[in-house]
Amino acid sequence: MLTVERLSISYGGVKALNELSMTLEPAKIYGLIGPNGAGKSTAINAISGVIAPTSGKVSLNGKDVTQHSVHQRARAGVRRTFQNLALFQSMTVRENVECGALHTISRQEGDGPSSAVDRLLDEFGLRAVQHSHTQALPLGLRKRVELARSLVSAPSVLLLDEPAAGLTLEDMDDLKRRVRLVRDAGGIVLIVEHNMNLVLSLCEYLYVLEFGNLIASGKPFDVMEDPRVQAAYFGGDDEDA
Ligand SMILES: Nc1ncnc2c1ncn2[C@@H]1O[C@H](COP(=O)(O)OP(=O)(O)O)[C@@H](O)[C@H]1O
Ligand SMILES: [Mg+2]
């Protein structure tokens, strides 16, 4: 279980996130949506430990991890992808995927980190480019490498920041399948995404942010009918929110 309690983040005078609270249960896929600048990436950054919140709390299975580093959280199974990708440019595809397996404890079952890397490289069609530096690859492939890195050690919490942007339809189907596999293995998935087809086909529960404030949460189709959400998305001012 991942809980976020009254999480606030300010940049100078700008409140990027204002007392966000969320409860995310295992084996479920959640969506975090909202217009540009709503605070979605900020929330993912605070949950993964990339930035420290101004106030509020992040807990994992009842344990307060608010002060824990990215690495401590990674060891607890928290994995992510970045909106603008954060691959190690001077490393090869294989080395980048291996980084995702660094915290995996070898389980003596024949499926240690190295064979998990091989399996992911094969499944993602990255074998042929495994020794290429990531900076030389087209965006679609780089996104695949980042997703493979986030999946290589069976995440308990998977945070995806706009994973569908720039993907082909085939890669999109693959992404959906992958996300469902993480869910089926008992993982928590939180997806930030503008592609509503993807959001509505994957997510079981949505949180909606606008200007750092949570304006709605609930089942996807209920949330999409919420007048505040409609107004945030379509600018309709004919509805009183
Ligand atoms: N490092 C930063 N310094 C200053 N302001 C920031 C920084 N990161 C984000 N912001 C501001 O915080 C708000 C939320 O940004 P962000 O979380 O990136 O939104 P979203 O991902 O929903 O588009 C925006 O107003 C943005 O300009
Ligand atoms: Mg963002």
Side-chain angles (χ1 to χ4, degrees):
M1 176 107 100
L2 172 70
T3 55
V4 171
E5 290 166 75
R6 306 181 68 169
L7 197 68
S8 294
I9 290 147
S10 297
Y11 292 109
V14 179
K15 213 158 199 192
L17 209 54
N18 185 26
E19 304 217 332
L20 172 65
S21 294
M22 302 194 291
T23 303
L24 311 186
E25 291 169 2
K28 267 184 116 165
I29 302 169
Y30 295 84
L32 179 61
I33 65 171
N36 283 326
K40 306 180 298 293
S41 293
T42 300
I44 296 259
N45 285 338
I47 294 168
S48 59
V50 172
I51 56 172
T54 310
S55 62
K57 185 169 154 185
V58 178
S59 311
L60 206 51
N61 302 323
K63 187 174 175 185
D64 185 347
V65 299
T66 317
Q67 304 305 323
H68 287 194
S69 69
V70 171
H71 299 289
Q72 285 171 299
R73 293 182 214 206
R75 233 171 279 136
V78 179
R79 294 299 146 107
R80 68 169 295 177
T81 63
F82 290 79
Q83 183 173 350
N84 299 310
L85 297 181
L87 291 170
F88 300 108
Q89 303 266 359
S90 60
M91 288 187 189
T92 66
V93 167
R94 184 181 185 90
E95 287 164 346
N96 268 279
V97 176
E98 280 171 350
C99 285
L102 282 180
H103 299 292
T104 307
I105 297 155
S106 179
R107 282 164 295 163
Q108 313 267 309
E109 287 165 17
D111 193 29
S114 166
S115 64
V117 170
D118 285 328
R119 183 166 43 81
L120 264 280
L121 288 171
D122 283 337
E123 289 176 7
F124 277 76
L126 293 167
R127 182 66 89 173
V129 293
Q130 66 170 327
H131 299 304
S132 303
H133 285 192
T134 57
Q135 61 198 359
L137 302 177
L139 177 67
L141 272 186
R142 279 185 282 135
K143 289 198 81 137
R144 248 192 260 170
V145 175
E146 215 194 30
L147 190 61
R149 181 177 66 185
S150 75
L151 293 173
V152 68
S153 56
S156 57
V157 176
L158 179 63
L159 309 165
L160 302 174
D161 197 349
E162 302 204 15
L167 293 195
T168 62
L169 285 179
E170 197 186 344
D171 278 345
M172 200 96 83
D173 283 341
D174 202 47
L175 171 69
K176 286 188 203 171
R177 200 171 56 78
R178 290 281 170 185
V179 164
R180 291 189 178 117
L181 284 174
V182 172
R183 186 260 324 266
D184 295 345
I188 295 166
V189 186
L190 179 63
I191 308 175
V192 167
E193 187 50 61
H194 287 295
N195 182 320
M196 289 313 290
N197 279 333
L198 189 87
V199 168
L200 294 175
S201 69
L202 273 183
C203 301
E204 296 152 73
Y205 196 92
L206 297 183
Y207 290 95
V208 189
L209 286 174
E210 184 187 30
F211 298 122
N213 295 303
L214 186 69
I215 58 166
S217 63
K219 295 232 170 78
F221 287 98
D222 296 339
V223 162
M224 294 318 288
E225 285 184 358
D226 187 310
R228 291 187 70 181
V229 176
Q230 297 262 329
Y233 267 89
F234 308 114
D237 48 12
D238 49 348
E239 299 254 25
D240 275 332

